[in-house]
Amino acid sequence: MYRMLTAYHAVRECRAQCRHAPHAVPRLTATPPNQVWRLIATASRRHGMVPGQLTTHSDRGSIQIAKDLHALYEDLGLVRSLSRPRVSNDHPQVESLFKTTTYSAGSPDRFTDFAHAEQWCTAFFTYDNTMHKHSGIAYCTPAMVYGGDAPAVLAQRHRTMTRAFALTPARFVRGAPRTATLPTTVSIHPIAEYHAAAINTP
């Protein structure tokens, strides 16, 4: 039936919906750490951000467009950035993070209280930021990238792999090892992934 209706252009949205003109998705590009943040007052003060040089990026949810939050941004000298100009959108970074935490080994079915949640999240994020090596940042930890240690780590790793290649080249089926490189920019937009954003989230 739907194939027949489609042939006669009779399949359409029956509900009366507002139509908006297409708009380009706004994007922010971060090159060094601390250039694009999602945190507010504590992070701003902790890292000595200069008013007018820090941008906060959100998905235009109800809390993010609240007048009180706007006033806080103005007091801190922050610039706002929204995923979509006029409507609320899902938050793929947070959704990806939620899946990462809930699918991780040892994730509890539920937290018994706030202290339990805080204890588990502290252990998880400490491991994820300081021990787990992410493929999106050349198998470095976010702490290495954020602290500026990643280039030295990658150089040492390449020297080790080069020595191993000289001793047993048959083990390297793809040829001599190549020097791994970090991504130079991170684009913040609705389809960005959490692990890419990890460069700016220690």
Side-chain angles (χ1 to χ4, degrees):
M1 178 61 70
Y2 276 105
R3 287 196 296 268
M4 295 172 61
L5 291 172
T6 301
Y8 286 94
H9 306 287
V11 178
R12 61 180 182 83
E13 176 60 61
C14 298
R15 296 170 296 176
Q17 293 185 332
C18 180
R19 296 182 179 273
H20 297 284
H23 296 277
V25 177
R27 286 177 170 83
L28 293 173
T29 299
T31 46
N34 284 335
Q35 196 171 44
V36 177
W37 275 78
R38 293 179 177 278
L39 307 182
I40 318 294
T42 301
S44 177
R45 290 192 295 266
R46 180 184 301 169
H47 293 271
M49 295 294 100
V50 178
Q53 295 184 2
L54 179 64
T55 299
T56 62
H57 185 74
S58 75
D59 60 358
R60 200 176 170 81
S62 58
I63 295 178
Q64 298 292 347
I65 60 175
K67 183 176 180 180
D68 291 342
L69 187 60
H70 289 181
L72 172 62
Y73 286 172
E74 291 177 1
D75 292 341
L76 296 174
L78 306 184
V79 179
R80 288 194 309 132
S81 169
L82 302 174
S83 295
R84 297 179 67 182
R86 292 177 172 79
V87 297
S88 178
N89 191 17
D90 60 347
H91 199 311
Q93 289 91 344
V94 172
E95 290 175 2
S96 178
L97 174 59
F98 178 76
K99 184 176 181 179
T100 300
T101 55
T102 54
Y103 279 56
S104 65
S107 176
D109 292 334
R110 64 184 62 190
F111 296 116
T112 55
D113 52 25
F114 181 83
H116 180 208
E118 186 175 35
Q119 179 183 18
W120 187 89
C121 289
T122 298
F124 173 82
F125 288 115
T126 299
Y127 165 79
D128 194 66
N129 287 326
T130 62
M131 299 178 65
H132 179 65
K133 296 176 174 60
H134 297 261
S135 60
I137 49 178
Y139 291 98
C140 292
T141 67
M144 291 176 186
V145 178
Y146 186 79
D149 301 323
V153 171
L154 294 177
Q156 178 59 44
R157 186 185 298 169
H158 181 70
R159 289 192 291 269
T160 302
M161 296 293 288
T162 301
R163 288 196 296 268
F165 176 76
L167 293 174
T168 55
R171 294 181 59 188
F172 293 79
V173 295
R174 298 183 180 179
R178 300 177 180 178
T179 304
T181 57
L182 293 170
T184 56
T185 61
V186 175
S187 295
I188 307 300
H189 57 84
I191 61 173
E193 296 180 356
Y194 160 71
H195 291 303
I199 291 180
N200 287 323
T201 310

